[in-house]
Amino acid sequence: MTTTSYLIRSVEAPDGGRTDVLVRDGIVAELGSGLSHLGARVVDGDGLLVLPGLVDLHTHLREPGGEGSETVLTGSRAAAAGGYTAVNAMANSSPVADTAGVVEQVQALGDRAGYVTVRPIGAVSQGLAGTHLSEIGAMARSRAAVRVFSDDGHCVSDPLLMRRALEYIKGFGGVLAQHAQEPRLTQGAQMNEGALSAELGLGGWPAVAEEAIIARDVLLADHVGARLHVCHVSTAGSVEVVRWAKSRGIAVTAEVTPHHLLLTEELVSSYDSRYKVNPPLRRQEDVEALRAALADGTVDIVATDHAPHTSEAKCCEWDAAANGMVGLESALSVVHRTMVETGMIGWADVARVMSTAPAVIGQVAGQGRPLAVGEPAELTLYDRGVTRTFGLEHLAGKSTNSPYLGERLPGRVEATFHQGYATVLDGSVIDAEAVARSAAEVSARAVLAAGEATDR
């Protein structure tokens, strides 16, 4: 069995210190200056920042059923290109991930692809219909060991079903991730409700439709004593509700997407359906509130809500276009631009909100760990000194519905290491067959180690 070792020279850690990093047998084997190792592949880290591999708590991989938009393999490639080493795959596939069989299939596809750790998210309700609970216990006990449950794309709007789900999931320490959208208040909604929606003649998506569900759910979570995670917070009012809940000691966490940190509703005036998303792009005041909330810890993490669609689903009139944007490949650059370049957070904070905290919330083992000897080699090398015009060549997934095409974005992921092997080197994604072979070697090594442990 062959194993490649990597010696990363003179890379900068988030705290500003510089070090060499020796990666061997899937772990960080040594740290220090002037390291050497016979046979190791040398990676020049001069001018690069090393971050713990990024973890996304909110990704749509579409498989099974939506392979025309994305597959587990192509979505994993997109994730690696963006510096991610783990993603949590939402349940709105076809069939829906509401049984043990489907979540195990998704995890197996991720393991086989080998680019990232793929953790399936289980549906809260059968078929995302919001009427009957899914096989929550079976998914939690399955080989996939699901710990995050969500009907994302749909709100769990029935308060009784929401309470029952919170009670059930609490029993094994899981978390319910809510898509906060009161459906009765958003019928026919096409964009943020306000003066611009009236001017354009498009149905409005009012902020209160999000805020009311969050307010209800934090009270339910408090009553039950369960953990609640709020997906894609998008309004200043939602921030205040989450802030109030945290001040009361309620076990709530929240995420913001990169696009809600940067883009505003004015873009809808172009009728370019790349800007159509749920929840919709909001006002500049909301963007500023979300940035401040991420900086002060009210919002815990950045999650991409990577939502690939075919060109047929997006390249059509606004009303008929699907909601969603791809975001894995661009997320780190957008956070760099909106949060770091503005001085609102530093790189240690970026590591926290894009790696450590999402790994903790999602209970993703082996991810989000600090750079230390003996820790899993889940690493991202990032060049902060470059600026690029984001284009199709920077997309590694199957769909191209990015809102950033033609935008100037800072930074570039130069290398990503997952389980100790490279998935991205010199800014290019490694060939799928080579990554799959590396993943198979790691799996075989784990089986061998487990057998030896049993023998002892």
Side-chain angles (χ1 to χ4, degrees):
M1 186 179 299
T2 61
T3 302
T4 302
S5 299
Y6 294 91
L7 180 57
I8 306 167
R9 292 200 179 280
S10 190
V11 75
E12 184 177 340
D15 63 6
R18 302 186 78 70
T19 185
D20 295 350
V21 183
L22 177 62
V23 173
R24 184 177 63 229
D25 296 332
I27 65 169
V28 176
E30 292 184 57
L31 294 171
S33 59
L35 298 183
S36 62
H37 182 71
L38 186 64
R41 178 166 179 173
V42 176
V43 177
D44 183 7
D46 188 37
L48 303 182
L49 175 74
V50 60
L51 295 168
L54 306 185
V55 177
D56 191 21
L57 199 61
H58 191 150
T59 301
H60 297 274
L61 295 181
R62 303 302 189 205
E63 190 175 11
E67 291 84 355
S69 300
E70 195 79 283
T71 67
V72 173
L73 172 60
T74 61
S76 295
R77 282 175 53 87
Y84 286 89
T85 54
V87 299
N88 290 256
M90 281 294 179
N92 60 339
S93 53
S94 182
V96 170
D98 57 4
T99 66
V102 177
V103 295
E104 288 180 349
Q105 176 190 1
V106 172
Q107 180 156 298
L109 288 168
D111 291 345
R112 191 177 310 141
Y115 281 101
V116 295
T117 295
V118 174
R119 297 285 295 127
I121 292 175
V124 174
S125 66
Q126 294 176 20
L128 308 179
T131 55
H132 298 87
L133 290 180
S134 67
E135 296 180 9
I136 291 173
M139 289 186 280
R141 294 188 299 270
S142 72
R143 288 192 299 273
V146 176
R147 289 298 178 269
V148 182
F149 295 83
S150 180
D151 276 2
D152 183 63
H154 301 272
C155 178
V156 183
S157 58
D158 182 333
L160 180 59
L161 189 76
M162 184 67 177
R163 175 183 175 172
R164 295 293 181 243
L166 287 167
E167 290 172 334
Y168 202 168
I169 294 168
K170 173 191 174 184
F172 51 82
V175 61
L176 196 159
Q178 173 70 296
H179 174 116
Q181 177 186 0
E182 170 50 59
R184 294 292 297 278
L185 291 175
T186 55
Q187 290 180 1
Q190 293 288 324
M191 66 170 295
N192 181 54
E193 181 179 281
L196 185 58
S197 66
E199 178 185 330
L200 297 176
L202 294 175
W205 202 120
V208 70
E210 175 175 300
E211 296 155 8
I213 291 293
I214 298 173
R216 182 202 73 177
D217 287 351
V218 294
L219 293 174
L220 283 173
D222 189 31
H223 179 71
V224 171
R227 293 175 57 211
L228 173 72
H229 179 74
V230 184
C231 296
H232 42 49
V233 169
S234 70
T235 77
S238 294
V239 166
E240 290 308 311
V241 175
V242 172
R243 183 175 285 123
W244 173 85
K246 288 190 170 188
S247 74
R248 293 281 298 268
I250 299 173
V252 58
T253 53
E255 71 188 34
V256 64
T257 69
H259 49 271
H260 285 115
L261 289 172
L262 177 61
L263 309 177
T264 64
E265 64 176 358
E266 280 73 21
L267 292 165
V268 178
S269 299
S270 69
Y271 292 102
D272 184 335
S273 62
R274 289 181 301 140
Y275 303 123
K276 187 177 181 183
V277 65
N278 185 357
L281 302 179
R282 303 288 191 179
R283 307 165 304 158
Q284 183 62 39
E285 299 96 301
D286 296 305
V287 168
E288 292 169 1
L290 291 167
R291 291 183 185 183
L294 184 63
D296 70 22
T298 300
V299 170
D300 301 83
I301 66 170
V302 174
T304 70
D305 194 7
H306 176 83
H309 289 291
T310 63
S311 59
E312 291 80 8
K314 291 296 278 188
C315 296
C316 55
E317 63 272 20
W318 180 274
D319 285 4
N323 286 304
M325 307 166 167
V326 294
L328 286 166
E329 300 98 329
S330 52
L332 185 53
S333 288
V334 175
V335 172
H336 182 176
R337 174 172 164 179
T338 59
M339 300 300 297
V340 180
E341 287 189 342
T342 57
M344 299 190 77
I345 65 174
W347 288 106
D349 299 308
V350 172
R352 172 176 52 82
V353 302
M354 298 190 74
S355 181
T356 306
V360 170
I361 294 168
Q363 302 178 52
V364 187
Q367 297 288 336
R369 306 293 298 165
L371 183 65
V373 173
E375 293 290 355
E378 307 281 349
L379 305 172
T380 299
L381 304 186
Y382 184 66
D383 186 348
R384 297 161 293 173
V386 302
T387 301
R388 54 184 172 154
T389 299
F390 196 80
L392 293 174
E393 68 274 16
H394 299 119
L395 297 174
K398 200 167 187 178
S399 294
T400 60
N401 53 305
S402 168
Y404 308 112
L405 296 176
E407 286 283 320
R408 295 285 289 171
L409 292 178
R412 185 175 90 143
V413 172
E414 286 294 321
T416 309
F417 296 90
H418 173 51
Q419 296 185 323
Y421 56 85
T423 57
V424 174
L425 274 180
D426 298 323
S428 298
V429 180
I430 302 296
D431 173 77
E433 290 186 5
V435 169
R437 285 195 300 271
S438 296
E441 287 184 6
V442 169
S443 178
R445 198 161 59 231
V447 170
L448 182 61
E452 291 174 348
T454 300
D455 291 342
R456 289 196 295 271

